[in-house]
């Protein structure tokens, strides 16, 4: 079978998924259809519908697009079957019912942004950085009933520098992930779908020891200043630039403001200040006292305002020395 004979359906939604789709198209593969999220309302009144990045790219290539509200909908399943796919490729989409992932004769594989079985879940890039991991990667695996638990086809590793945030890792994994997707399709094509895949259960003794990657909500993005400086530093870079770690400061008059923190650094310096106390020189330095030193804030944003460097922030701020942050 030639590349142009292999009929592929691609499923994905955000920017992360565009590069893998583009790699398949530019690699000469035949993508006969794309499945993506429904258009989302945007604007002040939600009066404008915005297509997903994957949809916009697919349309630019003249590829038919399906946007089901429900993946078990009869009309959607009929449309999917009519495309007669040999293989389905999933990148940054949602859980598929078995009636969908079992449909192609070569099966359905997913690209996951971690070294499975570690960091199964919705936010693997963020959690790997939050936990201070030195390495992450991408994995292709066959879909099964359990989330991110199918047989592993291929993996590629990526070192994490101590200064990198989740945004930087996202972009690098997006690039190497596209290469791994095309490599995986090449393998499936060459073997007529019969590749040697590894059961994830053979790679660990106790699943309780595997770090998870649950979905991020506002509640679990709040900074706990009682943690050591290194933990806070990793937490901030693991959530930067999105959804962003946040905290509140309380002025002497009791006014509370929400601050998003995007960049920081560790200052190892003994002190006797209560945890959460702010220290500043009023010009370009804003530190938060923690149990083992200070966390120096470098880039932040007051709710409803634009993102600023600390120098820009202090130029327009009243004195905040001695204010408590929570």
């Amino acid at each position: 079978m030639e590349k142009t004979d292999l009929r592929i359906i691609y499923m994905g939604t955000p920017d992360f998924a565009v590069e893998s789709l583009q790699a398949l198209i530019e690699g000469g593969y035949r993508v006969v259809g794309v499945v993506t999220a429904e258009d989302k309302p945007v604007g002040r009144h939600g009066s404008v519908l915005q297509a997903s990045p994957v949809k916009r790219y697919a349309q630019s290539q003249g590829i038919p697009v399906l946007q089901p509200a429900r993946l078990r909908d009869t009309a959607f399943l009929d449309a999917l079957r009519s495309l007669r796919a040999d293989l389905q490729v999933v990148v940054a989409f949602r859980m598929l019912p078995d009636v969908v992932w079992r449909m192609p004769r070569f099966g359905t594989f997913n690209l996951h942004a971690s070294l499975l079985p570690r960091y199964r879940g919705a936010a693997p890039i963020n959690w790997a950085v939050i936990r201070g991991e030195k390495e992450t990667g991408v994995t292709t695996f066959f879909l099964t009933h359990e989330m991110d638990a199918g047989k592993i086809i291929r993996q590629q590793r990526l070192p994490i520098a101590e200064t990198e945030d989740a945004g930087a890792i996202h972009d690098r994994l997006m690039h190497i992930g596209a290469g791994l997707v095309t490599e995986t399709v090449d393998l499936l094509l060459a073997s007529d779908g019969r590749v040697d895949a590894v059961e994830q259960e053979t790679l660990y003794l106790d699943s309780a020891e595997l770090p998870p990657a649950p979905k991020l909500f506002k509640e679990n993005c709040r900074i706990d200043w009682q943690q050591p400086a290194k933990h806070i530093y990793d937490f901030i870079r693991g959530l930067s630039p999105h959804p962003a770690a946040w905290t509140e400061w309380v002025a002497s008059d009791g006014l509370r403001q929400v601050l998003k923190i995007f960049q920081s650094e560790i200052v190892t310096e003994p002190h006797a200040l209560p945890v959460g106390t702010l220290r500043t020189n009023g010009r370009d330095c804003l530190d938060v006292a923690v149990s083992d030193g200070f966390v120096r804030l470098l880039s932040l944003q007051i709710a409803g305002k634009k993102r600023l460097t600390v120098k820009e922030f202090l130029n327009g701020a009243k004195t905040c020395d001695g204010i408590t942050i929570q």
Side-chain angles (χ1 to χ4, degrees):
M1 179 184 289
E2 300 296 325
K3 285 184 176 182
T4 53
D5 297 322
L6 183 70
R7 299 175 64 87
I8 299 173
I9 289 175
Y10 188 87
M11 302 184 182
T13 295
D15 286 317
F16 187 88
V18 173
E19 191 153 342
S20 291
L21 175 58
Q22 183 175 348
L24 289 171
I25 298 297
E26 294 180 353
Y29 277 105
R30 185 181 182 186
V31 179
V32 297
V34 160
V35 183
T36 190
E38 295 180 288
D39 295 355
K40 289 187 175 181
V42 295
R44 179 172 296 180
H45 304 292
S47 57
V48 178
L49 292 177
Q50 184 178 73
S52 74
V54 164
K55 178 181 177 179
R56 293 195 296 270
Y57 178 76
Q59 289 180 326
S60 75
Q61 302 299 307
I63 303 171
V65 175
L66 300 176
Q67 296 176 271
R70 296 184 304 108
L71 294 176
R72 294 184 183 274
D73 182 78
T74 301
F76 166 66
L77 294 175
D78 288 344
L80 204 60
R81 289 189 188 95
S82 71
L83 294 173
R84 296 180 291 108
D86 300 300
L87 173 69
Q88 291 176 154
V89 179
V90 182
V91 180
F93 195 49
R94 61 191 204 247
M95 286 282 288
L96 301 182
D98 58 355
V99 68
V100 173
W101 57 259
R102 289 183 185 275
M103 199 175 291
R105 65 188 185 95
F106 282 7
T108 301
F109 79 81
N110 185 88
L111 174 73
H112 188 72
S114 81
L115 296 173
L116 291 174
R118 296 172 62 83
Y119 296 105
R120 294 170 175 167
I125 298 173
N126 301 97
W127 285 105
V129 180
I130 287 170
R131 288 176 174 265
E133 299 284 2
K134 306 298 184 186
E135 182 182 58
T136 185
V138 283
T139 303
T140 53
F141 67 97
F142 287 115
L143 289 192
T144 186
H145 293 284
E146 189 178 351
M147 178 183 284
D148 302 330
K151 290 183 179 181
I152 292 172
I153 307 169
R154 287 290 184 272
Q155 290 185 325
Q156 186 168 342
R157 297 176 180 273
L158 181 77
I160 302 176
E162 288 193 0
T163 55
E164 285 186 297
D165 63 20
I169 298 300
H170 169 281
D171 292 349
R172 293 211 287 149
L173 289 178
M174 180 173 64
H175 177 69
I176 69 169
L180 195 65
V181 164
T182 56
E183 177 186 331
T184 301
V185 177
D186 287 344
L187 288 169
L188 289 165
L189 179 62
S191 65
D192 198 34
R194 294 185 291 272
V195 297
D196 292 328
V198 178
E199 295 278 3
Q200 291 192 35
E201 289 78 5
T202 65
L203 302 178
Y204 60 88
L205 296 177
D206 184 355
S207 61
E209 299 174 359
L210 299 178
K215 188 174 182 179
L216 293 166
F217 298 95
K218 182 179 179 181
E219 294 74 23
N220 57 3
C221 293
R222 184 169 188 161
I223 300 169
D224 179 2
W225 297 105
Q226 300 295 329
Q227 294 290 315
K230 179 62 164 61
H231 289 192
I232 296 169
Y233 170 76
D234 290 338
F235 188 77
I236 290 170
R237 69 190 181 100
L239 295 172
S240 180
H242 181 78
W246 66 278
T247 188
E248 287 184 333
W249 75 2
V250 184
S252 56
D253 61 1
L255 180 66
R256 306 175 77 93
Q257 284 185 312
V258 173
L259 298 176
K260 287 185 176 182
I261 312 297
F262 298 97
Q263 291 176 293
S264 68
E265 63 184 16
I266 298 169
V267 178
T268 304
E269 179 184 332
H271 64 83
L273 296 172
V275 168
T277 301
L278 286 177
R279 180 184 73 170
T280 180
N281 62 7
R283 301 184 306 276
D284 57 5
C285 179
L286 185 59
D287 298 342
V288 183
V290 296
S291 60
D292 57 347
F294 293 90
V295 173
R296 178 160 292 167
L297 309 184
L298 303 177
S299 176
L300 52 79
Q301 180 182 23
I302 296 177
K305 305 293 184 180
K306 68 177 183 178
R307 177 174 170 174
L308 300 171
T309 65
V310 161
K311 183 176 181 179
E312 292 169 332
F313 173 77
L314 291 175
N315 282 342
K318 297 177 182 179
T319 179
C320 52
D321 205 20
I323 291 175
T324 300
I325 202 162
Q326 296 180 349

